[in-house]
Amino acid sequence: MGDKRSSVLRPIFCFVSLFVMLHLVYGDLSYSIPEEMKRESVIGNIAKDLSIDLRTLSSRKARVNVEGTRKRYCDINVNTGDLIVLERIDRESLCSKKPSCVVKVDLVLENPLELHRVTLHIQDVNDNSPKFKKNLIEMEISESADKGNRFSMEEAHDADIGQNAVQRYNLQQNDNFILAVDSNKVELVLENKLDREKQKEMNLLLTALDGGSPQRSGTVVIHVTVLDANDNAPVFSQAVYKASLPENSPPDITVINVSATDADEGVNGDVTYEFGHVSDDDVNVFSIDAKTGEIKVTGVIDFEDSSSFEMRVQAKDGLGLTSYAKVIIDVTDINDNAPVIYLNSLSNAIPENVSPGTEVGIINVQDRDSENNGQVRCSIQQNAPFKLVPSIKNYYSLVTTGQLDRELVSDYNITITATDEGSPPLSCSKTVHLSVADINDNPPVFEEQSYSAYVTENNKPGSTLCSVTARDPDWRQNGTVIYSLLPGEVNGALVSSYLSVNGDTGVIHAVRSFDYEQLRSFKVHVMARDNGSPPLSSNVSVSVFISDVNDNSPQILYPAPEGNSLMTELVPKAAHGGSLVSKVIAVDADSGQNAWLSYHIVKSTDPGLFTIGVHSGEIRTQRDISESDSMKQNLIVAVKDNGQPSLSATCSMYLLISDNLAEVPELKDISYDEKNSKLTSYLIIALVSVSTFFLTFIIIIVGVRFCRRRKPRLLFDGAVAIPSAYLPPNYADVDGTGTLRSTYNYDTYLTTGSRTSDFKFVTSYNDNTLPADQTLRKSPSDFDEVFGASQDSLEVGFT
């Protein structure tokens, strides 16, 4: 077999150059190639023949699909554009004796989807020699056979077709037989009568020759035995028998009966049957009964594998004489193959903005049955925006019928059903998963049409005012939202100097501290932008309202002192009660209740003479003016706001009760009275302080006397230490030294003989207070010098 293969392949490349033909019809290609090409051999250059750029083949994922078979006989090299052989192509295996052998190949390109039908015509190569069923044929012929008698021979078989099949036979030169060949049979013709006495047996060499190049042949030896009795060869009732058989017929079913008769009697007339040449593929499909000639099914009958069978049947009598007949069995197709759906091309993800009618996939449907059994209808579920459009034979384009929206439906599971027209019909279904790719077709949308933020004035920089939120239904970066402030000005300054926004969260912060009195509200615009290409955005307005805080005291406009000048009002002496005298005018920079002002007189020369309107600030007389009223009236007015806490301001109002300007004293006198009034206040405070000190001192003395009643003698050699509990709080004994710290220091002398002794302040040590490390001490003799009195006198020193 190896020698045969090498002898066949030697002329292949020369043969390719002669037989490869290209036909470009309606965008399709047709190549004619010899069988048995070597693997990786080039069939043709598809890129050149279809005028497709090599880069396009790669970018559009060019691939080859082979129709009707699981084997991939060829493929495309996307780098060179060549269609190359992948598997051995044997025409005899593919098509047997069919005169035309075609392999259909589909070239598929994606983005956009494109289909080209490539037809491969497989040409026969003379790679098979003629072959007889046996190497030796035994024949017995009576010597009484007449000249011209014909004896049938088994034909030689050649798997090749056409010119490469058996073309002629040659019979070895002999004295008795010649060869007669016609389209149906090969026969030996007796040219000269046989003489058993001269030659009992002979060997003839029969050669079968094909017409290929180089020519191939096969031989068989015919062994002829000469008999001395008359004999007749069997004769078939028909030269050709025909039968029809449905595929999938069960074993042991009778297909046809062949019959041959023999004129001889007895054993010589007994006829037996057997198959002549049967191909290797058909040898186990049928059997023949040797006695009856009944042909039965013994194997699998499959129309898709073989639609007909052709066999030679041999009839042989008891003497070995044979004759031959041809049996042709046609297989009828039944609907035993369901359609098969192939997804030749399918987009991984369909952009959601594709227009209706866009092709997103190519579906190939195949049914191995024939005629109506192989006619297929495809359908698709109705609840999806897709449909199937018939294309080239058995091909359908899956196209969109409406607008896709990934935000509504991101994935589709489409069920495709293929049904043939057989009886009963067979069908199959296949589910196709389609994903919709996101396109940045949705701008971010804010949750609210506008936003409002409220902040109190004097806020801390960096405090949070509010947050804005926008949603984008797109996917991944197309749906990622980034926030920013649109450029603008607020009060003549950039927006960015007032607010900032977090780009990721949309939280708005104050950049500065706001002052309600300068800016009560303002509006900015925030933009939400996605990360798509190109990016989409939307804007929203944010109104910032600043609320007031009571941070401004009332401001009195009238009366308003300027420098040292004083504002005065004249009040007629004849003014009656309720008369308007003057008015205090004040304003507050705050707003609302923080600016609600109330007026109160906190001090006046004559408290019962004047009153002021709490809300108006009008100063009116409470009663009629009398002669006893002082001419010079001074009012101190407080103005308070209603904030929390409340803030206030005061002013002085100078009123002169007079009907004549000549009576008005000089203003400096009023000023002098004011200064005297202040001095009087200071004197009163000083008097109260001294009285308090004196009262405290008296309490100390009383405490000392009380202690003396319980302990008569308090004199020691050293200084007397008075317990601190009897001293005022601002006094303290330091380390028992007898030195007392105080603003004023006195010597106090008490007599020892009396519990009611008087005391008096003798000397003040205010300027000569001893240091803390010294103690004032006096001896009894010192007391004698001063008082000339008793030795029992007591000295207490305060420091």
Side-chain angles (χ1 to χ4, degrees), residues 301-605:
I301 306 298
D302 191 349
F303 176 86
E304 288 70 41
D305 291 338
S306 181
S307 61
S308 66
F309 297 90
E310 185 175 322
M311 299 170 289
R312 299 282 288 179
V313 177
Q314 172 186 281
K316 185 177 181 181
D317 63 14
L319 295 176
L321 296 179
T322 60
S323 62
Y324 293 89
K326 182 183 291 187
V327 178
I328 299 175
I329 302 174
D330 292 323
V331 180
T332 58
D333 183 41
I334 64 173
N335 192 27
D336 61 338
N337 291 282
V340 180
I341 300 174
Y342 297 97
L343 301 178
N344 283 351
S345 181
L346 194 66
S347 300
N348 293 330
I350 309 168
E352 60 179 325
N353 62 343
V354 297
S355 57
T358 300
E359 190 176 49
V360 297
I362 293 180
I363 310 300
N364 178 226
V365 182
Q366 295 184 14
D367 193 321
R368 297 183 64 196
D369 296 323
S370 63
E371 298 180 352
N372 288 342
N373 295 332
Q375 298 298 317
V376 180
R377 301 186 310 273
C378 278
S379 61
I380 193 173
Q381 63 193 61
Q382 299 299 319
N383 59 345
F386 300 94
K387 68 177 181 179
L388 289 175
V389 177
S391 183
I392 307 172
K393 180 182 178 182
N394 296 332
Y395 278 87
Y396 295 84
S397 295
L398 183 63
V399 300
T400 59
T401 58
Q403 191 67 47
L404 303 179
D405 191 345
R406 192 205 66 84
E407 288 69 44
L408 295 178
V409 182
S410 60
D411 296 275
Y412 291 92
N413 288 318
I414 302 171
T415 301
I416 300 173
T417 302
T419 306
D420 61 27
E421 296 183 359
S423 179
L426 299 178
S427 64
C428 73
S429 298
K430 194 175 189 69
T431 300
V432 178
H433 179 77
L434 293 176
S435 297
V436 181
D438 185 48
I439 297 296
N440 192 28
D441 57 346
N442 292 282
V445 177
F446 285 94
E447 293 183 348
E448 300 181 20
Q449 294 183 351
S450 62
Y451 291 84
S452 298
Y454 298 89
V455 59
T456 57
E457 64 175 329
N458 303 326
N459 60 292
K460 292 183 179 181
S463 59
T464 299
L465 302 187
C466 68
S467 65
V468 296
T469 303
R471 307 292 183 187
D472 193 324
D474 291 324
W475 196 43
R476 289 187 176 175
Q477 65 178 14
N478 293 333
T480 302
V481 180
I482 299 175
Y483 302 93
S484 62
L485 288 173
L486 288 179
E489 291 187 355
V490 175
N491 230 14
L494 294 178
V495 171
S496 58
S497 65
Y498 283 83
L499 301 176
S500 67
V501 61
N502 187 304
D504 297 325
T505 63
V507 177
I508 298 176
H509 301 277
V511 175
R512 62 167 64 179
S513 178
F514 299 123
D515 188 351
Y516 175 84
E517 288 70 40
Q518 295 182 2
L519 183 65
R520 298 191 175 188
S521 66
F522 60 93
K523 182 182 290 186
V524 298
H525 290 86
V526 177
M527 179 179 68
R529 175 180 58 84
D530 59 31
N531 263 341
S533 179
L536 300 178
S537 63
S538 60
N539 304 330
V540 71
S541 62
V542 179
S543 299
V544 180
F545 298 96
I546 303 170
S547 58
D548 185 42
V549 172
N550 192 29
D551 59 342
N552 291 279
S553 300
Q555 182 180 358
I556 299 175
L557 302 181
Y558 182 85
E562 298 180 0
N564 293 324
S565 63
L566 298 175
M567 303 271 309
T568 60
E569 295 281 351
L570 291 178
V571 180
K573 293 181 179 179
H576 297 287
S579 299
L580 178 64
V581 174
S582 183
K583 183 176 183 179
V584 177
I585 301 174
V587 295
D588 195 317
D590 297 321
S591 66
Q593 66 178 9
N594 295 330
W596 296 350
L597 302 180
S598 60
Y599 301 84
H600 309 276
I601 296 177
V602 297
K603 182 180 180 183
S604 63
T605 304

Side-chain angles (χ1 to χ4, degrees), residues 15 178 339 444 473 657 690 755:
F15 189 84
I178 61 174
I657 301 175
V690 172
R755 294 184 179 180

Side-chain angles (χ1 to χ4, degrees), residues 146-163:
D146 295 331
K147 182 179 180 181
N149 281 0
R150 293 174 176 263
F151 305 93
S152 298
M153 302 289 301
E154 180 185 0
E155 297 177 355
H157 175 75
D158 194 326
D160 297 324
I161 63 170
Q163 195 67 24

Side-chain angles (χ1 to χ4, degrees), residues 496-779:
S496 58
S497 65
Y498 283 83
L499 301 176
S500 67
V501 61
N502 187 304
D504 297 325
T505 63
V507 177
I508 298 176
H509 301 277
V511 175
R512 62 167 64 179
S513 178
F514 299 123
D515 188 351
Y516 175 84
E517 288 70 40
Q518 295 182 2
L519 183 65
R520 298 191 175 188
S521 66
F522 60 93
K523 182 182 290 186
V524 298
H525 290 86
V526 177
M527 179 179 68
R529 175 180 58 84
D530 59 31
N531 263 341
S533 179
L536 300 178
S537 63
S538 60
N539 304 330
V540 71
S541 62
V542 179
S543 299
V544 180
F545 298 96
I546 303 170
S547 58
D548 185 42
V549 172
N550 192 29
D551 59 342
N552 291 279
S553 300
Q555 182 180 358
I556 299 175
L557 302 181
Y558 182 85
E562 298 180 0
N564 293 324
S565 63
L566 298 175
M567 303 271 309
T568 60
E569 295 281 351
L570 291 178
V571 180
K573 293 181 179 179
H576 297 287
S579 299
L580 178 64
V581 174
S582 183
K583 183 176 183 179
V584 177
I585 301 174
V587 295
D588 195 317
D590 297 321
S591 66
Q593 66 178 9
N594 295 330
W596 296 350
L597 302 180
S598 60
Y599 301 84
H600 309 276
I601 296 177
V602 297
K603 182 180 180 183
S604 63
T605 304
D606 189 347
L609 183 57
F610 297 99
T611 185
I612 189 168
V614 176
H615 301 297
S616 64
E618 295 178 348
I619 300 176
R620 297 178 182 270
T621 58
Q622 294 191 74
R623 56 180 176 79
D624 295 343
I625 302 296
S626 65
E627 292 293 337
S628 62
D629 292 330
S630 174
M631 177 183 296
K632 294 176 289 184
Q633 296 288 330
N634 182 20
L635 303 180
I636 298 177
V637 178
V639 182
K640 296 182 180 180
D641 59 25
N642 200 37
Q644 293 295 330
S646 177
L647 300 179
S648 64
T650 60
C651 66
S652 296
M653 177 68 73
Y654 299 99
L655 303 177
L656 297 175
I657 301 175
S658 176
D659 292 330
N660 189 352
L661 292 175
E663 299 178 359
V664 178
E666 294 184 2
L667 295 180
K668 65 181 181 178
D669 296 337
I670 300 177
S671 176
Y672 178 77
D673 290 345
E674 176 68 18
K675 292 180 181 179
N676 290 339
S677 176
K678 291 182 179 180
L679 180 60
T680 301
S681 299
Y682 295 153
L683 291 175
I684 292 174
I685 294 172
L687 180 60
V688 171
S689 300
V690 172
S691 299
T692 302
F693 179 79
F694 182 76
L695 180 61
T696 302
F697 189 75
I698 292 301
I699 293 173
I700 294 173
I701 296 300
V702 171
V704 171
R705 292 174 64 91
F706 177 78
C707 292
R708 186 173 180 181
R709 287 180 181 179
R710 299 181 62 183
K711 190 176 182 179
R713 296 191 61 87
L714 296 176
L715 292 177
F716 298 95
D717 292 337
V720 177
I722 299 177
S724 60
Y726 292 91
L727 301 178
N730 60 334
Y731 284 76
D733 186 15
V734 181
D735 298 332
T737 59
T739 302
L740 301 178
R741 295 178 181 178
S742 177
T743 304
Y744 297 96
N745 302 286
Y746 299 92
D747 284 338
T748 304
Y749 296 88
L750 302 175
T751 59
T752 61
S754 175
R755 294 184 179 180
T756 59
S757 299
D758 295 331
F759 72 91
K760 71 173 181 178
F761 297 103
V762 179
T763 305
S764 172
Y765 293 95
N766 182 40
D767 297 329
N768 299 310
T769 303
L770 293 178
D773 58 349
Q774 297 180 10
T775 304
L776 177 62
R777 302 176 183 272
K778 288 187 178 182
S779 64

